[in-house]
Amino acid sequence: MVTSLPSIPPTFALGVCDYPEHVPWEQWRHYPDRQRELSITYVRIAEFAWSRMEPREGEFDWTWLDDAVQVLADADRLIVMCTPTATPPAWLIRKHPEILPIGKDGNVRNFGSRKHYDHASPIYREHSRRITKAVAVRYGQHPAVAGWQTDNEWGCHSTTRSYGGASQTAFRSWLERRYGTLEALNVAWGNVFWSQEYTDWGQIDPPNHTVAEPNPSHVLDFARFASDMVNEFQAEQVAILRELSPGRWITHNYMMQFMEFDHYANCEGLDFASWDSYPLGQVERAPLPDTEKLRWARTGHPDLISWNHDVYRGLKGRRAFWVMEQGVGQVNWAASNCLPAAGAVALWTAQAYAHGASCVSYFRWRAATIAQELMHSALLRHDETLDRGGEEVGGLELPGRVNADVPARVALLHDYESQWVYDVQPHSQDASYVRQAMLFYGVLRSLGVDVDIRHPDHDLSEYDVIVAPALQLMGEKRARHLARYAGTCRLVFGPRTAYRTPTGRVHEDGQPGPLRGLVGHRLLNFDGMRPGLTVRAGGHVVESWAESYEPVGADVLMTYDDGPLAGQAAVTRHGNALSVGAWSETLLESVLTRVLTEAGVAVMPLPEGVRVSRNGRAEVWMNFNQEPATLPDGSTIGPVSYQIRG
Ligand code: GAL
């Protein structure tokens, strides 16, 4: 069941991000009434407003924020209040320049935008706690404050990792705590290779500025460390908010495509996850060929968007989530910033509802008339007239609909550590963790299947099919955990499964190490193909990656037809465990159709650009094409639109 949250009604609501500090008061004070006219319930404020809250150290000015909170409360709007730590003010940085982060290039990342801090900095931690406490004391018990957002988008502008200063010192202590002795660390990382062995903790630096590629185990542990720093930073704020703002929920607005910290661990102390959805900017930045970017330039890519909905629904089990920032037009940060097609904002909102969001909050109320984001869209234009996206929001019939369970019977396994280590050594220029995971996810969605995205170590007993596209890290414990499901459920493993131990080495008995008993094969060879080079397996074209297996108990379902792996197994099956070694959409379609059908999960091949998702008994049909499409029942759906049945 989607767990409903304390103090959030189980109905779908709308929200908006607004910035009272950006607008003259005489103008701003009318906004909450206009927001009510658009059925907007929640208003998020103050995530970047530190310099207005505390213009000089210890001198607080709450008058403007008190007034804004009061006007919102008078208009019956509910407030999402934020900790403003994404933007340490100039006076603080001038006093403590050591707060600033160090980029991978070794340069200090300076004041003048946002997110200019190192999460490991003890001085910044102290100020973060201090300002969090001050905001929480002031507003934590205000009846209009419904909940909190911590900071803004962990990892934004590649800020999870700082390659020096406070992080450098903290990394050494973190390693000492993890390994206890340098001997253990040297073994875990395989430091005898190229004489990388350390004899003192002080010799260990972050993995940048090396002559050749750094040791992948070193990179993996640095990624883990940096992720832990973000999580600790947040946990300190959460502890303060829990104490000073009882009964309110706490969330964080994760950003699509920021993968440098472990969101599962980060979300542990929160009540629910939120994420920021900018479908057009997302397409521009996605690892997609140009033809695909063109195709989805005005609608966003349906599966890239819903991947995020499904990730955030799954972070804490199956739980309602929010879209905290939903783009309503063009962004300002992509290489090109297109306008969306008519209908796209309404379609994105319906898609969020269909995947279990309990609130979609738009970014932002009025277009900024100042600074970095003055070319970014909003619900209102600069002149305060309703813009195209605002008109679509005004026409929605979604607010108030019951938000029920997404009845997924298929889990797709996703973990950040496997991604970090995969992407250190992709081994084929087109391969990446995201592309491989999206290949499996896209095929499932194109077959009309609802998918829960879950961590491999979660309890997975409620599923009939478990798909693990790129589960690269495998220890004994994880292997035992997965084997538990083989009696009751079908498992599908993708290429590079169990390539490495949890510290990033290869298992001494080769791949797939402790998973061999479950999959019933051993890895023979892998082929990281250059763009344009293909082989065939079972008649299907394979690109980028092909690996072959020798059965040790498994049956061979498909072999390679040609190329260096000709005659060797590309797909094996051992009881309920199926392994696919080749990157091929059509091959996957045929394998997954068979597995799903055997498991009794209904398969319904959909036309390109058409998707269906279920929320309780409601079926939401969505057409991301800019032309009408025919649905499997023969009816027609208009361009860039949705239909809700039930
Ligand atoms: C988000 C960010 C917002 C705003 C927006 C513009 O990533 O959280 O503050 O910058 O991008 O698209």
Side-chain angles (χ1 to χ4, degrees), residues 19 44 47-48 114 152-153 156-157 253 255 258 276 278 325 331-333 363 373 376:
Y19 299 87
R44 186 195 69 177
E47 78 277 21
F48 301 125
R114 59 180 172 183
N152 191 75
E153 290 185 355
C156 186
H157 315 298
N253 61 329
M255 176 64 166
F258 294 172
D276 296 347
Y278 294 93
E325 297 179 13
V331 293
N332 67 325
W333 43 260
F363 185 88
E373 293 184 350
H376 198 287

Side-chain angles (χ1 to χ4, degrees), residues 589-634:
E589 254 162 39
S590 101
V591 167
L592 288 174
T593 300
R594 176 170 165 180
V595 172
L596 292 162
T597 308
E598 283 175 8
V601 177
V603 168
M604 184 174 13
L606 300 172
E608 238 195 299
V610 171
R611 293 290 180 260
V612 62
S613 302
R614 295 154 193 95
N615 184 319
R617 281 211 289 273
E619 246 185 23
V620 184
W621 286 90
M622 295 161 279
N623 182 14
F624 281 76
N625 298 298
Q626 293 183 58
E627 313 82 43
T630 306
L631 300 182
D633 67 359

Side-chain angles (χ1 to χ4, degrees), residues 4 41 52 73 127 148 162 202 214 227 241 272 279 291 299 368 380 388 440 446 514 552:
S4 61
T41 304
R52 285 295 168 102
H127 283 276
W148 291 87
S162 173
S227 175
L241 296 174
F272 61 96
T291 45
T299 59
L380 302 191
R388 302 154 58 97
F440 283 70
S446 73
V552 186

Side-chain angles (χ1 to χ4, degrees), residues 160-366:
T160 299
R161 299 172 192 163
S162 173
Y163 289 81
S167 272
Q168 166 149 338
T169 314
F171 181 42
R172 292 169 182 160
S173 328
W174 182 92
L175 288 169
E176 205 169 340
R177 283 197 301 279
R178 187 176 180 86
Y179 291 104
T181 64
L182 282 162
E183 291 67 33
L185 176 136
N186 283 327
V187 170
W189 290 8
N191 284 336
V192 63
F193 189 81
W194 287 353
S195 270
Q196 296 170 83
E197 286 166 305
Y198 297 104
T199 53
D200 189 292
W201 296 102
Q203 294 162 356
I204 309 174
D205 288 331
N208 62 331
H209 285 321
T210 50
V211 171
E213 62 170 321
N215 181 338
S217 296
H218 183 179
V219 178
L220 176 61
D221 269 345
F222 188 64
R224 285 177 170 139
F225 152 77
S227 175
D228 282 1
M229 293 304 104
V230 172
N231 299 348
E232 280 179 13
F233 186 91
Q234 173 170 268
E236 292 180 1
Q237 294 194 355
V238 169
I240 293 166
L241 296 174
R242 293 273 178 232
E243 189 193 326
L244 297 173
S245 190
R248 274 72 175 180
W249 43 258
I250 308 173
T251 188
H252 177 75
N253 61 329
Y254 300 108
M255 176 64 166
M256 58 192 196
Q257 289 157 330
F258 294 172
M259 311 291 202
E260 293 187 331
F261 63 96
D262 185 334
H263 294 45
Y264 293 96
N266 187 274
C267 202
E268 259 166 34
L270 303 179
D271 293 297
F272 61 96
S274 304
W275 76 284
D276 296 347
S277 175
Y278 294 93
L280 305 192
Q282 180 182 32
V283 162
E284 283 300 326
R285 289 200 174 167
L288 291 172
D290 248 17
T291 45
E292 286 285 288
K293 290 191 183 192
L294 254 183
R295 164 150 204 191
W296 306 111
R298 294 206 188 279
T299 59
H301 188 297
D303 300 336
L304 285 178
I305 304 171
S306 69
W307 163 272
N308 285 277
H309 290 315
D310 293 344
V311 163
Y312 295 113
R313 193 181 63 249
L315 279 195
K316 288 182 78 77
R318 201 183 277 189
R319 183 172 275 243
F321 62 97
W322 279 32
V323 177
M324 187 60 86
E325 297 179 13
Q326 173 63 65
V328 291
Q330 61 202 179
V331 293
N332 67 325
W333 43 260
S336 305
N337 297 288
C338 310
L339 276 178
V345 174
L347 176 58
W348 297 332
T349 308
Q351 187 186 25
Y353 162 73
H355 284 260
S358 62
C359 177
V360 170
S361 163
Y362 299 100
F363 185 88
R364 50 188 270 164
W365 174 245
R366 177 187 176 212

